[in-house]
Amino acid sequence: MPAAGLKYIGKSIPIHDVREKATGALRYAGDLKLHGVLHAKLVLSEIAHGRVKHLDLEQALAVPGVVGIYTYRDAPDHPYNSHQWLEGMEVQKDELIFTDHVRFHGDRIAAVVAETREASERAARLVHVEYDELPAVIDPEAAGLLNATPIHASGNHIVHKRIACGDAESRMRDADLVIEDRIETPKVHHAAMETHGCIAEVDAQGTITVRTPCQVIFQVQLIVSQALGLPMDKVRVLKTTLGGSFGGKGQPILEPVAAFLALKVGKPVRLVLDRTETILSTRTRTKAIGRVRTGVDRKGRIVAREIHMLVDTGAYCTNGEVIPMAMGKKSFRLYQIQDQIFEADVVYTNTPVAGACRGYGSPQICAVTEINLDHAARALGMDPVEFRMRNLVHPYNADPAGGPSIGNARIRDCVTKGSDLFQWREKSARPKGGGRIARGIGMACCTHGNGYYGGFPDFITVDLRLTPDGAVVIKGAFHDLGCGTVMTMMQIAAEVLDLDPSSILIPDADTLVCPFDSAGTQASRVTYVCGGAVHQAAGELKRKLLESAATLLAEPISGLRLEQGYVIGSSGRASYQEIAQYAQRQLRSDLCVNLLYQSPGNPASYGAHFAEVEVDRITGRVRVLDYVAVHDVGQAINTGFVEGQIQGSVQMGLGMALMEELTFDARGRVTSSRFSRYTVPNAPEMPNVRVALIEEGEESGPFGAKSIGEIATVPVAPAIINAINDALGTRISVMPATPERIVAAIQDV
Amino acid sequence: MPELRFEMPSNLPELAECLAGAGDDTRLLGGGTDLLLQLPALRFQGTTLIDLSGMRELSEMRFEKDVLEIGANVTYARIAQDPFIRSRIPCLAAMAARIGSPQIRNCACLPGNLVNASPGGDAIGTILALDARVRLLNGAGAIRECAIDELVLGIGKTSLSRNEAIIGVRIPIPASPWNAYGKIGLTPRREVIIANVSLTMVFEITEPDRRIRAARMVLGSTSPRAHRVSSAEALCVDQVPSSELAREVAEALKRDVAGTIGANPAFQHKLNDVRGLALDLFHELFALEL
Ligand SMILES: Cc1cc2nc3c(=O)[nH]c(=O)nc-3n(C[C@H](O)[C@H](O)[C@H](O)COP(=O)(O)OP(=O)(O)OC[C@H]3O[C@@H](n4cnc5c(N)ncnc54)[C@H](O)[C@@H]3O)c2cc1C
């Protein structure tokens, strides 16, 4: 529904490239055909930990069509951290293009470059690697032990983090009940439809151009330049159409490799992974083991809480130092808890590398704390909704840990609306079913941020120009990952300028063309920060448009208004086209704006999810029967996109709750490296997800909007696990709750 | 680079000719849903594919008195949708309806499943439970028939020689429609799953006393190849279907699985699944409260 008085905001308009996507006309990185392109295939470690003793390339080099094989002996020795997105950020630089100290099953040892894909694959199979195998550390709880084999020279413990407010320790002593849990969330694969891939080429001046489906062009530029020891202006990055990312393409992984190979062979190099390579050697969601103690009083108020998260970042650090802070901050912004300690320890393990994954730590901490809160409600004999309502924040409550204002925080509205829609009261009065099939309900609340304000520099520069043919071109580092960023920006500009979105053009992000953006598509900042920039810049452009129109129409600005591509005055009107041309000819001016926009804040987004499940006590199989998701989005810019994000998020969260998990054998080799072994929920698993939005507006967001894409997956797993526990009276503490684990939990009751 | 060669016979004599020239690197191509996964490897070693899709005569289903003959090119989609099969051999329709996804069912056919001889091959168990026979053509143009357990020998192993092709499957039509099929996946999902356990039950029941005269029960995915469970079958003979019988059969099947899987921890959940599945099928067939 368009909001009152608004023409484009709140409307469902299909994504800008819907036609090309539906007809198959769109080209993804893997589809691009560059003249003379060569094909690269990675040689990945087959073991979880060890040293490469010997590499035998002879047979591989003999394969017809092979151009070269490049290994850790050839690659530059410039360590980097792929998570770094700004020059000067302090990070652990522990990654290299290739390595002879392999630290996980899937670590990069070498790459074959050949004239055809077939030849590259054939040769890569013929590279014989001999290893000196080292003990693999798979269990994060064992990683920090004294006898654990060190994965990096610095040891396996990376960092300890702490956030605290009040005096949790002594307040805990006053609690009537203390409820403790240990809850484990899995390492999961992002499972974007498009696997990872990119193409790099070098021109005669030695400038490398990388075409890549990425989330942050300037980060790719930075990492490629660091890894290769080149000035940044020698690297140009063009974002290609993304077939999904979910954070998995947030960090540059293949780009430095492809760029290195292109430099070596002097020709364009295409490096596209298959599914198994993508599962093994890109990024995963961070595995976490949370321990939580919540002290409550008899009235159902939380008096104190202590949380400890053990964060398993895998074989390389990437965002391991940042993700615990992202987790921790959320636990101070959802409930009114004045006395709380959050601590985290981050460790290396010999497992695939963790990175950004939709929610950036929030789904993990939310699972830990929201499952624990249901146990608390149960221990108090209190309804979980009622219990939460006694503790949830109110709009504009202060963050007791000193974070930015939570803004117009409408979580209580979400819970109220959701319980009504879900018929929580009626459903909770129903019997659970004592026979083979048990039924239960569960819910969970969540919060997430809107950008980096308060943590990292958060600003974007955008260029807007009204062309002499009446169109608007917006240049900025926007990265549509498939979720509608471009159309969202178009709708914002369209609303301000009263212009049909089809007259607005937003080219794909390109480091050479787009003005600088400090952080890219991360941290749920796009609608709130980048959208805020477009909103303000469009306002500037409107002002310039009116100024020129005032001269053209010889009327004061105050009497002019915009309507559907025209400026209307009392005596006449002029089209945007006429005004732009008039400005060029008569005023020697161009209707353009270059605007630096600094994020004004970091309000919190909220959501409440409700799930009803049926569990087979014999087989441990779960069916999610009904699902309600209510989100405080401030204002939906495009209602269809918002709903789409929520629907997809529920599917992703359902996977984390019930089936998705990277599994390992005793030596640490991944046993779930293909989709027949790594199961994602498909359409038949999905309940009818009913979505409702709370749109009460966030003053600092464009038209009142705030984030949705990440937060919507945050509460799904705990809502479902709480429903299973409600059905069975179990205390499931390890996700995913597979049939085996559910049957075991029933036996423990 | 080794070559990929392609042959496309359009009738039985042409197929026989192709088979006569078949070598170790020759593969028959049915729906391709198993074979194409091996293609990258096959391509590296050089392969001849004999594509059966041009053979119209293998796309037919023929009903003769009490036998249904399903041609080698009949897809699962057609089997699942066929009204006669649905009403008289519901276990076959149900099995076909749950192979893979719609895309897979639109390509894949029975012979590929039999020859692939995976422990999780769903058709093998149902075909065995129905006491079906397989028709084979050889390079000399001769046709022979064999039972399914003479064809499928173990994991990935069959008695098929390289100059033989399956041209059809002959299924005796059960006298009464008291048969059912079910599977529970290796993974928690419900659809597009490889079976953790599959089960086909075929009962011969006489009216009006509703007594079970004979039963055939076949478990899939719990042993290297699908097998009948005579201990469970014997429990049913001369019984009227009841909740007690269902529970006893479920326990008997569970014991059988316990015997075949041993102590391997990765397989223990099959014990829960087989019990649940057995009760499901009794419920489906006889509307028993379980
Ligand atoms: C996504 C997906 C889901 C699947 N789901 C299931 C499932 O749920 N249950 C299940 O059991 N299987 C499943 N499969 C496996 C596969 O679909 C079945 O085994 C199918 O029956 C194979 O038949 P096809 O016609 O595709 O055989 P093909 O792939 O063409 O052939 C398989 C093998 O049989 C040989 N062959 C084929 N036709 C003949 C013939 N007429 N005579 C002699 N040899 C022949 C081939 O040479 C090859 O060795 C799935 C596969 C995929 C890709």
Side-chain angles (χ1 to χ4, degrees):
Chain A
M1 277 264 295
L6 296 173
K7 214 165 173 177
Y8 300 107
I9 299 299
K11 250 183 137 175
S12 283
I13 304 175
I15 194 163
H16 68 288
D17 53 6
V18 63
R19 190 179 297 270
E20 296 84 344
K21 278 193 171 127
T23 56
L26 214 58
R27 291 285 167 264
Y28 295 86
D31 304 323
L32 298 177
K33 304 248 184 305
L34 260 60
H35 182 71
V37 73
L38 299 177
H39 300 259
K41 179 82 178 171
L42 297 175
V43 177
L44 301 176
S45 171
E46 295 147 323
I47 64 168
H49 197 193
R51 297 249 171 209
V52 176
K53 198 159 62 176
H54 181 65
L55 263 186
D56 179 358
L57 307 180
E58 201 184 314
Q59 271 185 300
L61 283 167
V63 171
V66 168
V67 174
I69 302 179
Y70 303 92
T71 76
Y72 51 83
R73 284 191 287 258
D74 311 299
D77 188 22
H78 300 303
Y80 58 92
N81 180 326
S82 55
H83 141 83
Q84 183 182 357
W85 69 87
L86 265 186
E87 188 69 278
M89 249 171 85
E90 274 186 36
V91 288
Q92 294 262 359
K93 294 187 174 174
D94 57 10
E95 296 169 56
L96 287 170
I97 289 176
F98 298 126
T99 180
D100 63 339
H101 180 178
V102 292
R103 297 178 170 93
F104 69 103
H105 176 197
D107 212 350
R108 293 187 302 264
I109 297 170
V112 176
V113 182
E115 281 160 8
T116 62
R117 213 182 91 194
E118 288 75 13
S120 71
E121 288 173 5
R122 198 173 152 79
R125 283 169 183 235
L126 293 173
V127 172
H128 299 292
V129 188
E130 243 181 89
Y131 305 92
D132 263 334
E133 196 159 347
L134 292 166
V137 179
I138 305 306
D139 174 6
E141 288 183 318
L145 301 179
L146 279 178
N147 60 356
T149 312
I151 297 166
H152 290 270
S154 54
N156 295 342
H157 183 264
I158 300 176
V159 74
H160 174 82
K161 297 273 183 182
R162 181 186 156 95
I163 311 173
C165 64
D167 181 0
E169 225 170 288
S170 62
R171 291 284 285 135
M172 195 67 85
R173 274 180 244 125
D174 306 337
D176 292 324
L177 279 173
V178 176
I179 294 88
E180 291 194 40
D181 277 294
R182 176 196 178 280
I183 287 162
E184 218 176 299
T185 66
K187 211 168 244 283
V188 306
H189 167 57
H190 301 76
M193 272 209 233
E194 180 199 27
T195 58
H196 283 60
C198 66
I199 300 184
E201 65 179 320
V202 187
D203 68 14
Q205 286 74 40
T207 302
I208 303 175
T209 298
V210 185
R211 290 176 170 79
T212 176
C214 65
Q215 292 187 206
V216 196
I217 47 170
F218 292 107
Q219 182 175 356
V220 177
Q221 183 183 44
L222 177 69
I223 296 298
V224 171
S225 79
Q226 282 184 359
L228 300 180
L230 291 173
M232 286 213 272
D233 65 4
K234 284 288 179 197
V235 181
R236 178 181 181 190
V237 179
L238 293 156
K239 173 206 160 282
T240 55
T241 303
L242 273 97
S245 178
F246 312 108
K249 292 170 185 141
Q251 299 175 356
I253 301 166
L254 300 178
E255 293 89 339
V257 183
F260 162 67
L261 296 173
L263 271 178
K264 278 286 176 194
V265 297
K267 284 194 172 171
V269 171
R270 170 188 186 277
L271 174 55
V272 179
L273 304 190
D274 63 21
R275 179 61 56 183
T276 292
E277 292 166 325
T278 302
I279 292 178
L280 292 176
S281 74
T282 63
R283 296 291 178 265
T284 70
R285 182 183 290 292
T286 313
K287 178 189 171 81
I289 300 176
R291 287 173 191 277
V292 54
R293 298 178 73 220
T294 304
V296 293
D297 66 18
R298 288 267 163 230
K299 294 199 201 92
R301 296 287 309 215
I302 301 171
V303 299
R305 186 161 72 175
E306 295 166 0
I307 304 171
H308 180 270
M309 297 293 280
L310 178 62
V311 173
D312 172 358
T313 193
Y316 295 96
C317 184
T318 76
N319 62 353
E321 291 187 273
V322 175
I323 208 152
M325 295 308 279
M327 290 175 175
K329 287 176 181 175
K330 310 301 184 303
S331 44
F332 295 84
R333 295 162 74 83
L334 183 54
Y335 298 98
Q336 306 171 59
I337 307 175
Q338 303 307 325
D339 301 275
Q340 181 166 218
I341 303 173
F342 168 88
E343 288 183 286
D345 285 282
V346 185
V347 295
Y348 287 120
T349 57
N350 292 114
T351 62
V353 185
C357 183
R358 201 178 206 172
Y360 212 85
S362 292
Q364 292 94 316
I365 187 120
C366 182
V368 171
T369 52
E370 287 295 297
I371 293 171
N372 172 255
L373 285 190
D374 258 39
H375 292 161
R378 215 198 283 178
L380 285 165
M382 198 175 273
D383 176 75
V385 168
E386 176 56 33
F387 173 56
R388 285 181 174 81
M389 285 302 279
R390 291 190 192 185
N391 293 284
L392 285 165
V393 293
H394 291 268
Y396 307 105
N397 274 174
D399 177 337
S405 166
I406 63 172
N408 192 7
R410 294 290 176 160
I411 179 61
R412 307 178 76 86
D413 298 11
C414 294
V415 174
T416 308
K417 185 159 195 166
S419 330
D420 283 351
L421 267 177
F422 185 74
Q423 297 190 290
W424 176 269
R425 222 175 274 280
E426 294 80 345
K427 283 183 174 161
S428 51
R430 265 191 221 152
K432 307 276 175 242
R436 177 171 168 188
I437 304 297
R439 270 194 182 209
I441 56 172
M443 60 92 59
C445 299
C446 63
T447 182
H448 201 70
N450 281 269
Y452 277 125
Y453 178 93
F456 293 98
D458 198 347
F459 59 90
I460 179 171
T461 309
V462 293
D463 272 348
L464 261 67
R465 177 166 184 255
L466 183 64
T467 65
D469 55 2
V472 169
V473 178
I474 304 179
K475 289 182 197 161
F478 305 111
H479 309 71
D480 201 315
L481 311 182
C483 47
T485 295
V486 164
M487 181 52 75
T488 300
M489 298 305 145
M490 287 177 173
Q491 282 175 260
I492 291 171
E495 188 68 51
V496 176
L497 294 166
D498 203 334
L499 183 66
D500 194 275
S502 63
S503 301
I504 299 173
L505 174 73
I506 302 186
D508 267 334
D510 175 347
T511 51
L512 205 59
V513 172
C514 298
F516 187 70
D517 171 40
S518 73
T521 299
Q522 295 190 71
S524 282
R525 70 188 279 272
V526 174
T527 299
Y528 178 77
V529 181
C530 307
V534 170
H535 183 243
Q536 192 170 323
E540 279 290 299
L541 188 62
K542 175 176 171 179
R543 193 180 54 76
K544 291 198 173 178
L545 176 69
L546 286 172
E547 273 173 14
S548 301
T551 327
L552 174 64
L553 297 171
E555 284 196 47
I557 289 180
S558 56
L560 302 178
R561 66 189 164 84
L562 308 187
E563 198 181 304
Q564 203 65 41
Y566 286 88
V567 176
I568 318 263
S570 54
S571 57
R573 62 175 205 172
S575 69
Y576 292 179
Q577 187 176 354
E578 290 169 312
I579 301 164
Q581 291 178 8
Y582 169 79
Q584 289 189 342
R585 282 196 326 270
Q586 304 297 325
L587 308 175
R588 284 178 295 151
S589 170
D590 196 50
L591 295 181
C592 64
V593 171
N594 173 274
L595 180 103
L596 166 71
Y597 183 79
Q598 296 166 320
S599 174
N602 196 344
S605 293
Y606 291 94
H609 287 202
F610 300 77
E612 180 175 23
V613 302
E614 196 177 78
V615 192
D616 183 331
R617 285 197 172 89
I618 296 180
T619 62
R621 309 265 159 176
V622 177
R623 190 184 286 254
V624 182
L625 302 171
D626 189 17
Y627 203 97
V628 167
V630 185
H631 280 274
D632 163 23
V633 296
Q635 164 69 53
I637 301 292
N638 183 312
T639 316
F641 294 165
V642 170
E643 172 153 351
Q645 285 300 303
I646 297 172
Q647 296 276 355
S649 285
V650 173
Q651 192 156 357
M652 203 162 176
L654 189 144
M656 171 169 150
L658 299 177
M659 56 191 85
E660 292 189 43
E661 178 179 31
L662 285 186
T663 49
F664 304 92
D665 67 14
R667 284 166 58 206
R669 291 163 44 99
V670 180
T671 50
S672 46
S673 59
R674 53 206 157 106
F675 275 157
S676 57
R677 291 287 176 274
Y678 181 93
T679 313
V680 291
N682 50 9
E685 290 310 301
M686 290 300 291
N688 176 26
V689 177
R690 295 181 281 150
V691 171
L693 303 179
I694 305 292
E695 298 180 272
E696 292 295 327
E698 184 64 53
E699 300 88 295
S700 56
F703 295 101
K706 50 187 180 180
S707 67
I708 186 63
E710 292 194 87
I711 187 175
T713 207
V714 173
V716 184
I720 292 173
I721 299 293
N722 285 341
I724 297 172
N725 284 336
D726 176 59
L728 302 171
T730 45
R731 265 180 104 140
I732 287 174
S733 58
V734 179
M735 272 158 272
T738 56
E740 289 88 338
R741 288 181 180 139
I742 289 173
V743 170
I746 294 172
Q747 281 157 4
D748 285 347
V749 171
Chain B
M1 276 275 177
E3 276 182 62
L4 190 66
R5 289 168 304 270
F6 202 78
E7 293 173 355
M8 202 168 170
S10 55
N11 53 42
L12 290 178
E14 283 181 24
L15 174 59
E17 205 177 304
C18 295
L19 291 170
D24 281 340
D25 64 350
T26 303
R27 296 283 185 288
L28 286 155
L29 175 63
T33 60
D34 276 321
L35 192 68
L36 291 192
L37 303 186
Q38 304 159 23
L39 201 60
L42 292 174
R43 203 169 46 186
F44 292 140
Q45 68 204 39
T47 293
T48 302
L49 293 180
I50 304 177
D51 176 10
L52 300 176
S53 67
M55 302 194 47
R56 289 260 179 82
E57 60 199 292
L58 300 187
S59 302
E60 285 169 21
M61 281 199 263
R62 259 199 307 272
F63 302 92
E64 301 159 11
K65 272 205 322 255
D66 42 14
V67 173
L68 163 64
E69 179 162 344
I70 300 179
N73 280 346
V74 175
T75 61
Y76 291 108
R78 281 179 59 202
I79 296 173
Q81 285 155 16
D82 186 84
F84 179 84
I85 296 177
R86 288 166 65 130
S87 66
R88 292 295 296 279
I89 325 178
C91 67
L92 183 63
M95 181 279 294
R98 295 202 60 203
I99 295 270
S101 57
Q103 295 92 324
I104 296 294
R105 294 194 287 275
N106 283 334
C107 306
C109 309
L110 292 172
N113 198 264
L114 308 183
V115 175
N116 202 48
S118 155
D122 288 313
I124 301 171
T126 303
I127 296 289
L128 175 63
L130 288 167
D131 204 14
R133 295 179 70 77
V134 179
R135 294 188 79 205
L136 302 153
L137 174 80
N138 70 14
I143 291 176
R144 74 174 173 110
E145 266 189 27
C146 74
I148 185 74
D149 44 5
E150 293 160 10
L151 179 77
V152 178
L153 304 179
I155 300 178
K157 262 202 288 208
T158 66
S159 61
L160 203 73
S161 67
R162 68 163 184 247
N163 62 359
E164 281 184 310
I166 299 175
I167 53 173
V169 177
R170 288 172 64 82
I171 299 172
I173 298 168
S176 57
W178 299 104
N179 55 73
Y181 162 90
K183 73 167 159 177
I184 298 187
L186 197 54
T187 55
R189 224 157 61 177
R190 276 189 299 274
E191 295 297 335
V192 197
I193 46 172
I194 300 166
N196 196 35
V197 177
S198 72
L199 177 60
T200 310
M201 290 184 176
V202 180
F203 294 103
E204 203 180 299
I205 293 183
T206 50
E207 310 286 353
D209 62 346
R210 255 202 154 205
R211 236 165 242 290
I212 300 172
R213 293 294 164 224
R216 291 171 68 95
M217 296 199 191
V218 175
L219 280 174
S221 282
T222 66
S223 51
R225 57 178 184 154
H227 67 280
R228 288 178 63 179
V229 184
S230 50
S231 59
E233 293 174 357
L235 287 171
C236 300
V237 178
D238 283 336
Q239 301 293 309
V240 175
S242 68
S243 306
E244 294 71 55
L245 179 65
R247 286 196 197 96
E248 284 173 30
V249 168
E251 286 308 318
L253 290 168
K254 187 175 158 181
R255 277 194 300 277
D256 179 84
V257 174
T260 52
I261 61 174
N264 189 333
F267 295 153
Q268 294 310 307
H269 196 65
K270 291 182 194 284
L271 300 176
N272 303 316
D273 283 344
V274 72
R275 223 181 108 218
L277 190 52
L279 297 177
D280 285 344
L281 294 195
F282 267 91
H283 174 77
E284 185 186 319
L285 281 169
F286 308 113
L288 300 168
E289 269 319 307
L290 290 163

